[in-house]
Amino acid sequence: MNKTQFLSELRGKLVNLPESEVNSAVGYYEEYLLDAGPENEEQIIEELGSPNAVASKIIGEFALSDAPVGAATSGKTIESSAKTLWVVILAVLASPIALPLAIAVVVIVFALLISVLAVLFAFAVTGVALVVAGIAALFVAVWALFFEFGTALWMAGSGLVAIGVGILIAQATVLLTQSFFTGMQKMLGALLIRKAA
């Protein structure tokens, strides 16, 4: 494998990283090979390893860096952190040498997704349970009117509060669920557009 083939394959393996990172990495290895000279080119390429191995190293270093993807600001934002995470995930998935790591990342992302959905489901069940308990308390209040007026008023008030809190929790859960799925849709859409570009 000569220098041109090596650098071309390396650039192809880094396609999911930001363009500046790709240019920087390929430029580094191009300069490294130029410094070695044409007579040592083949030996240096053998020492470096395959373009897959070099790409995996570059992707790993990028994943550990604090540089946000595409952010013009000096501070790291949540959005840039999420973009960096997804770029790294895509880059790892594109590298066949890192298949076990890719599987682990996919499993972790899937586990986080299931966890968020479980929490949202728990909130929804809590809201429904409070509404049902409030309705039951109102029925008990009507029954208690015939025996103890004070208890009936307390039960009616408790039932109405439970219904109100249950409805608020249910509405908040619906809004959170919509926001979560909209955010996921936007994130995946941005990733697909970036991958296609």
Side-chain angles (χ1 to χ4, degrees), residues 38-128:
E39 63 278 354
N40 297 327
E41 186 177 290
E42 222 174 279
Q43 179 187 353
I44 296 295
I45 290 174
E46 284 181 32
E47 289 175 9
L48 289 174
S50 71
N52 278 340
V54 174
S56 292
K57 179 183 172 201
I58 293 167
I59 292 166
E61 289 171 357
F62 178 76
L64 296 175
S65 75
D66 286 337
V69 177
T73 61
S74 60
K76 190 170 184 180
T77 63
I78 293 174
E79 183 178 328
S80 67
S81 298
K83 285 181 181 178
T84 302
L85 173 67
W86 283 110
V87 166
V88 170
I89 290 170
L90 283 176
V92 167
L93 290 174
S95 176
I97 202 164
L99 186 59
L101 180 60
I103 292 170
V105 168
V106 168
V107 168
I108 289 169
V109 169
F110 183 72
L112 289 172
L113 178 68
I114 294 298
S115 299
V116 169
L117 291 176
V119 168
L120 290 172
F121 180 74
F123 280 135
V125 168
T126 301
V128 170

Side-chain angles (χ1 to χ4, degrees), residues 130-164:
L130 282 171
V131 169
V132 170
I135 292 171
L138 289 177
F139 280 116
V140 171
V142 170
W143 178 74
L145 272 175
F146 299 109
F147 304 105
E148 184 67 38
F149 185 73
T151 302
L153 286 178
W154 183 83
M155 290 297 290
S158 298
L160 291 173
V161 167
I163 291 171

